[in-house]
Amino acid sequence: MSNVRSDGQRKRVFIRTYGCQMNVYDSDRMADVLRPLGYALAAGPADADLVMLNTCHIRERASEKVYSELGRLRDDKAERRAVGRDLTIVVAGCVAQAEGEEIIKRQPAVDIVVGPQAYHRLPQLLAEAERKAAIRRAGKRLPGAGVLDTEFPAESKFDHLPAPQGVRAGSAFLSIQEGCDKFCTFCVVPYTRGAEYSRPVSAVLAEARQLVQAGAIEITLLGQNVNAYHGEAPASSLDGSTWSLGRLIRAIAEIEGVARIRYTTSHPRDMDDELIAAHGNVPQLMPYLHLPVQSGSDRILEAMNRGHGRDHFRRIVDRLRGVRPDLALSTDFIVGFPGESDADFDDTMRLVSEVGFASAFSFKYSRRPGTPGWAMPGQVAETVKAARLAALQALLGEQARDFNMSKVGTSVPVLFAEPGRKPGQVVGKTPWLQSVYADGPARLIGRIVDTRLTEGHANSLAGEVVGRDYEVAA
Ligand code: 5AD
Ligand code: SF4
């Protein structure tokens, strides 16, 4: 397969990522797979020869966005073909896994549909797509246009993906776990990402060391159910045959150069003693935890098959705050799950008031085909969902602003990540994952610098860089 265009330029790939951080990680890995094939990164779809949509299936709107983007790409492809060029369209991610062949039926311009477990096979899939394109160019008919790979291969993709290449601005994602066995009744993840799988400890530690060498000072451990992690222990381990997430975090903290550790996303049922203890005794583990609760009503939590009630959640929060009093808690809520009454929703509002969240994501329940929630009685009207979401978001927004305000006037270490919107501005993250805007040179990006927080807003803070690093080098 040719990796140069007819004008002699290298071919370019543009990857559009939807959804969660697992997809961000996967998109980077796909770029790593394509690089040895000669693909450079394109700035946008217009100057790409290969466009990949790394999709999300979690809510209905997420998948609809993919189909409208595919409609636009089909038009681009037709325009290019009219002038003798081509555009290869790949759909990856959870929509690919869930809908498979349906995508090619609905949008025949799609060349490849590849599920999240098969990314290491992209080179073969591209070769196959190119072969089919050549047959078509020769004017022959072809039964079955697109190339499909949504298998869950026996081998782990992690054993076949290349080592991660670049680290952006000191911060890196490291995927340690995939899939989920919890089967919450609203959720497609157990179907799209498959059964729970933990990477072996030695593979995770090797990747963490590579990331540090490539410039990472912050590592965020990723998994759909990251704290269910139970990876095979290293041969030399005296700590049992598998390690929990808490044990793994202690080992990552021992790698020279790791200044910050985070992990996401967790389930309340898997917050074990070792992990809670790590929040108290691993200084690099940041004082922030995203712990989705989904609802404050025991009845709804039961119907969601969450395996925990509101008291269990509150006890975990108390224990975490016992070892780490400044912990910033974040969570997810779903409003309007089937059967949710006004009283159930009040329980959710009360839980928010009692716990206090520094940040939160909240969604209207979206009925997903194939999940038990789809067929449940008592589906809630859209207008009711909308009113509940507005009330919940108002309360959560107030709490987020209060949390941000509570840090104003203090100096905190900020890891600067990117230029700000205004010239001469940089944006970074506090230990509690708030965004901070400050005036400062671009060379602060990728570094942790003490910053005095001067103003608090709903979604961010303003600050002044006060770190010695800045004064010396400016
Ligand atoms: N409807 C609405 N929100 C959902 N989530 C997952 N599935 C659904 C659904 N069917 C939310 C949950 C989860 C987050 C990633 O997305 O709150 O924690
Ligand atoms: Fe989905 Fe529940 Fe698994 Fe989270 S724990 S990925 S919400 S099934």
Side-chain angles (χ1 to χ4, degrees), residues 3 23 115 155 194 216 226 313 334 378 412 441:
N3 298 317
N23 270 9
E155 85 268 25
V226 74
F313 182 79
I334 296 176
V412 304

Side-chain angles (χ1 to χ4, degrees), residues 58-59 186 292 294 332 334 363-366 368:
I58 200 111
R59 284 170 294 276
F186 52 82
Q294 314 295 1
D332 291 343
I334 296 176
F363 313 98
K364 288 192 274 187
Y365 172 65
S366 164
R368 306 309 285 133

Side-chain angles (χ1 to χ4, degrees), residues 184-188 191 365-376:
C184 299
T185 52
F186 52 82
C187 186
V188 290
Y191 311 98
Y365 172 65
S366 164
R367 210 173 159 195
R368 306 309 285 133
T371 62
W374 172 268
M376 283 187 184

